[in-house]
Amino acid sequence: MSDSRTVIVPDGLAGERLDAALSRLFGFSRTKAVEMIDAGLVQVDGASAMKSARVVAGSLLDVEIPPPPGEIQVVPEMVEGLRIVHDDDEIVVVDKPVGVAAHPSPGWTGPTVIGHLAGAGFAISTSGAAERKGIVHRLDVGTSGLMVVAKTEHSYTVLKKAFKDRTVKKIYHALVQGHPDPFTGTIDAPIDRHPHHDYKFAVVAGGKPSVTHYETLEAFRFATLLEITLETGRTHQIRVHMAAVGHPCCGDAQYGADPVLAERLNLSRQWLHAMRLGFTHPGSGEYVEYSSTYPSDIEKALEALADAY
């Protein structure tokens, strides 16, 4: 059954967007708040309102909270192209191909890292939500490369803390449009949800602190291959930061990449790959580091760029 609630907008939320106010009042994600508004489950002073409407202190919010969905199921399914880089009693390190999510989520019916590990018979930590047990960090569906998954509760706790404390070494390679100036630098700009597009993120005043370091590996006529070190790990961080300075990842249409260049390079996703991953092993206490190579689609795009330009 659904849950009907009526609340008064407090002074502290005056001027907030309706979706943001709902998120803060009820603990919903912004995405869920938007879905409820779009479904007509939210009224402001007895009338429907847009998600971007600004709330007024003292207004009445009538909210019909839908029942929670059934538990998202992990479907054991081997994923073609997913490579096991390392496996021991505490962790498993995988090289994730493009088109694979880290774990199941609402609206995603494609292959997942967790589904592959379940299908391959790996025992994963019971820590975390049911559909993402053992996941301590994620890569976008359209980003390939290295991920570590915890196999025990101890390793889950240790690795989650390591990512939170920024002690994990995360190295990416990205092919970006144009030539960043300077060739080596740091982008320190806060990131939050895009103010106008719920499916995107953006550099936003008051967002979460986000720091990206980059270094040029090779410059081509119309693009530059960068090695990128992440100090923080925000959603879409590299893609957002590079787009914000006018150099989106090649093929990243979501963040403003040139579709003509993407077509010439036969890119159907952002040119972005998690190359190296280093951390203190939760079992041995020793520093370990794992590396990957480019998958064929971005390797061929790089070769085409070098040959054509």
Side-chain angles (χ1 to χ4, degrees):
M1 294 179 61
S2 60
D3 180 13
S4 298
R5 300 188 195 180
T6 300
V7 297
I8 298 174
V9 177
D11 292 343
L13 292 184
E16 290 272 9
R17 284 171 50 115
L18 177 57
D19 55 354
L22 281 176
S23 178
R24 293 181 60 181
L25 282 168
F26 294 98
F28 301 145
S29 67
R30 286 279 288 274
T31 299
K32 181 175 180 179
V34 169
E35 289 174 352
M36 291 172 60
I37 295 167
D38 290 344
L41 301 178
V42 180
Q43 291 192 327
V44 181
D45 291 330
S48 298
M50 300 290 289
K51 63 188 177 186
S52 59
R54 302 289 173 173
V55 297
V56 178
S59 291
L60 288 179
L61 297 184
D62 293 307
V63 182
E64 191 82 12
I65 303 174
E71 183 178 288
I72 299 173
Q73 297 295 317
V74 174
V75 179
E77 177 186 14
M78 301 287 284
V79 177
E80 183 179 357
L82 190 148
R83 184 170 66 94
I84 304 298
V85 176
H86 173 83
D87 175 39
D88 61 37
D89 291 342
E90 292 288 337
I91 62 171
V92 56
V93 179
V94 305
D95 198 342
K96 184 187 84 67
V98 66
V100 179
H103 57 74
S105 60
W108 176 255
T109 58
T112 66
V113 171
I114 287 298
H116 176 93
L117 294 177
F122 285 84
I124 302 302
S125 167
T126 58
S127 299
E131 73 279 6
R132 51 188 176 188
K133 295 183 188 301
I135 295 291
V136 292
H137 70 125
R138 292 176 292 180
L139 295 178
D140 296 341
V141 170
T143 299
S144 50
L146 297 171
M147 283 182 57
V148 58
V149 180
K151 296 178 70 175
T152 68
E153 293 187 38
H154 168 73
S155 60
Y156 180 88
T157 300
V158 171
L159 288 171
K160 285 291 283 188
K161 186 176 188 302
F163 277 96
K164 181 179 180 181
D165 293 344
R166 306 181 188 179
T167 60
V168 178
K169 182 178 180 180
K170 297 171 287 185
I171 307 293
Y172 293 73
H173 282 188
L175 185 69
V176 303
Q177 293 180 192
H179 305 110
D181 184 13
F183 284 150
T184 298
T186 295
I187 304 170
D188 185 349
I191 291 176
D192 209 335
R193 289 191 176 275
H194 195 288
H196 306 300
H197 303 285
D198 294 318
Y199 58 90
K200 294 175 63 175
F201 289 78
V203 170
V204 177
K208 296 178 181 178
S210 307
V211 180
T212 300
H213 307 285
Y214 68 88
E215 178 180 349
T216 294
L217 295 176
E218 188 171 1
F220 301 93
R221 185 178 178 187
F222 297 119
T224 304
L225 180 63
L226 301 179
E227 181 163 282
I228 293 177
T229 304
L230 285 185
E231 190 171 313
T232 52
R234 309 303 176 200
T235 303
H236 296 182
Q237 179 173 322
I238 295 173
R239 300 166 64 193
V240 170
H241 270 173
M242 296 317 301
V245 297
H247 302 286
C249 294
C250 292
D252 193 358
Q254 186 174 355
Y255 287 100
D258 179 5
V260 175
L261 179 59
E263 184 176 359
R264 288 178 177 174
L265 300 181
N266 198 28
L267 275 175
S268 57
R269 54 105 162 196
Q270 64 266 16
W271 202 113
L272 181 61
H273 185 69
M275 286 292 295
R276 297 199 299 279
L277 186 64
F279 50 86
T280 299
H281 192 284
S284 68
E286 298 179 353
Y287 178 79
V288 293
E289 187 168 312
Y290 305 96
S291 60
S292 175
T293 57
Y294 299 154
S296 61
D297 64 330
I298 61 174
E299 176 72 43
K300 290 176 181 177
L302 195 62
E303 292 171 355
L305 183 68
D307 292 343
Y309 299 104

